[in-house]
């Protein structure tokens, strides 16, 4: 086995383990920290797949910006408490695991049977460096790129609107009127 | 650089996507549900990059770029919604208590 194969196996193990930890931790802060490990391991796999630009974007945008946003909201809302007991939903968790296992078996089986990898001769594998990605982005994908900018602007306006305070709202974030608890 | 078979990447992608589904189905904390959605988006990205390498097109990597942008916009608006609901409603992030759209 060559070095990339060994690295892939190790990193894939880390990715699956950290993903399981994301959904099993009781404290959302711990979930967010495990999510960082998951995103970083995927960035390593992107590098193994000839996509160094995406590795950088993954680290900067996902592990840098999005998880920090998650941590900010978790700490702002003090949402570290585990959700309460849901006795009427007790059957849902085993059902979800069984359904997910069936889905996984199905998708892996179908994928293994249907996908025939093309022969690896011919043109060399393109390298996803910033220059080639940018050339493609500003030529064939120019219209989707501009639509993306409109989407980000709309998201910015929407987030500002949702986060604003109403006129005459004199309560703080925990529903207590200002001045009563001084 | 083509030692890693396409299948391995796709199986890893399927595993991560399934874990994301289980997270959405079993957790009741809205923030953890959002993190599970991020897991699923990342699994789709991994499949796109793997196909991009296998078929020698950069288009898949450009798609991943767009997916990341949409994910960032979605997280910004979604977390804004969570904060707004937390302020105006029950002061909780439990999805089972967010069952009323009018108040």
């Amino acid at each position: 086995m060559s070095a990339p194969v060994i690295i892939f196996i190790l990193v894939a193990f880390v990715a699956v383990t950290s993903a399981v930890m994301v959904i099993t931790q009781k404290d959302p802060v711990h979930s967010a920290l495990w999510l960082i490990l998951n995103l970083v391991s995927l960035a390593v796999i992107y590098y193994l797949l000839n996509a160094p630009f995406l590795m950088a974007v993954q680290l900067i945008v996902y592990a840098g910006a999005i998880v920090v946003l998650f941590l900010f909201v978790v700490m702002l809302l003090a949402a570290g408490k585990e959700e309460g007991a849901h006795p009427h939903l007790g059957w849902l968790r085993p059902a979800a695991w069984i359904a997910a296992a069936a889905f996984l078996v199905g998708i892996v089986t179908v994928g293994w049977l249907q996908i025939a990898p093309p022969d690896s001769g011919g043109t060399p594998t393109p390298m996803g460096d910033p220059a080639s990605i940018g050339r493609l982005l500003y030529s064939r994908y120019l219209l989707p790129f501009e639509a993306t900018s409109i989407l980000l602007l709309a998201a910015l306006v929407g987030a500002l609107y949702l986060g604003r305070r109403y006129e005459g709202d004199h309560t703080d974030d925990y529903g207590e009127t200002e001045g009563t608890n001084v | 650089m083509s030692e890693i078979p396409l299948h391995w990447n796709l199986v890893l992608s399927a595993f991560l996507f399934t874990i994301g589904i289980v997270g959405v189905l079993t957790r009741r904390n809205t923030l953890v549900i959002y993190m599970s959605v991020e897991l699923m988006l990342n699994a789709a990205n991994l499949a796109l990059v793997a196909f991009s390498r296998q078929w020698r097109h950069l288009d898949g990597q450009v798609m991943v770029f767009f997916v990341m942008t949409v994910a960032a916009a979605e997280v910004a608006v979604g977390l804004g919604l969570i904060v707004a609901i937390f302020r105006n409603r029950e002061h909780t992030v439990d999805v089972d208590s967010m069952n009323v759209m009018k108040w």
Side-chain angles (χ1 to χ4, degrees):
Chain A
M1 283 201 295
S2 58
V5 176
I6 297 171
I7 293 173
F8 178 85
I9 293 172
L10 288 176
V11 172
F13 183 73
V14 171
V16 172
T17 311
S18 56
V20 170
M21 295 304 274
V22 167
I23 68 165
T24 51
Q25 292 292 306
K26 290 197 183 314
D27 192 339
V29 177
H30 295 168
S31 286
L33 295 177
W34 282 108
L35 184 62
I36 293 181
L37 182 60
N38 182 265
L39 298 172
V40 169
S41 58
L42 275 176
V44 175
I45 291 181
Y46 289 169
Y47 186 77
L48 293 178
L49 289 172
N50 275 355
F53 175 65
L54 286 183
M55 178 192 72
V57 172
Q58 172 93 354
L59 289 176
I60 293 169
V61 175
Y62 258 119
I66 292 185
V67 178
V68 168
L69 197 59
F70 268 116
L71 280 173
F72 172 72
V73 173
V74 168
M75 293 179 178
L76 174 74
L77 302 185
K81 303 179 290 291
E82 169 62 351
E83 53 259 37
H86 298 281
H88 59 292
L89 291 178
W91 56 271
L92 187 60
R93 292 178 190 221
W97 281 102
I98 292 169
F103 172 77
L104 184 65
V105 169
I107 197 172
V108 169
T109 310
V110 172
W112 210 281
L113 292 179
Q114 297 288 322
I115 295 167
D119 55 339
S120 54
T123 56
T125 306
M127 193 74 170
D129 58 324
S132 10
I133 297 268
R135 205 171 292 119
L136 202 54
L137 199 58
Y138 286 108
S139 57
R140 191 186 305 166
Y141 292 97
L142 182 61
L143 185 62
F145 180 77
E146 298 293 346
T148 305
S149 66
I150 301 291
L151 174 79
L152 282 176
L153 181 64
L156 173 68
V157 174
L160 274 175
Y161 178 78
L162 288 168
R164 86 201 191 288
R165 288 187 181 280
Y166 292 97
E167 291 282 334
D169 180 10
H170 292 300
T171 57
D172 62 19
D173 280 344
Y174 297 96
E176 291 163 348
T177 309
E178 281 174 7
T180 56
N181 52 359
V182 191
Chain B
M1 275 297 284
S2 63
E3 298 98 338
I4 303 165
L6 174 67
H7 290 141
W8 294 15
N9 291 292
L10 295 182
V11 167
L12 175 63
S13 169
F15 264 92
L16 293 176
F17 195 88
T18 311
I19 293 169
I21 290 177
V22 172
V24 170
L25 288 179
T26 57
R27 294 304 298 261
R28 284 293 165 266
N29 188 320
T30 319
L31 294 159
V32 182
I33 290 178
Y34 261 75
M35 293 179 204
S36 305
V37 172
E38 295 299 320
L39 285 179
M40 287 194 275
L41 285 169
N42 271 288
N45 280 349
L46 175 60
L48 280 172
V49 177
F51 282 125
S52 166
R53 212 258 331 239
Q54 186 71 26
W55 277 288
R56 296 172 175 75
H57 276 295
L58 279 180
D59 302 48
Q61 299 192 14
V62 177
M63 291 298 162
V64 172
F65 184 79
F66 285 127
V67 170
M68 283 182 182
T69 317
V70 173
E74 168 235 328
V75 163
V77 175
L79 291 179
L81 274 172
I82 293 174
V83 171
I85 291 174
F86 185 88
R87 271 185 186 162
N88 293 308
R89 294 273 302 154
E90 317 266 337
H91 297 123
T92 180
V93 289
D94 190 317
V95 282
D96 282 342
S97 60
M98 297 179 190
N99 50 5
V100 180
M101 295 191 77
K102 178 188 170 195
W103 66 84

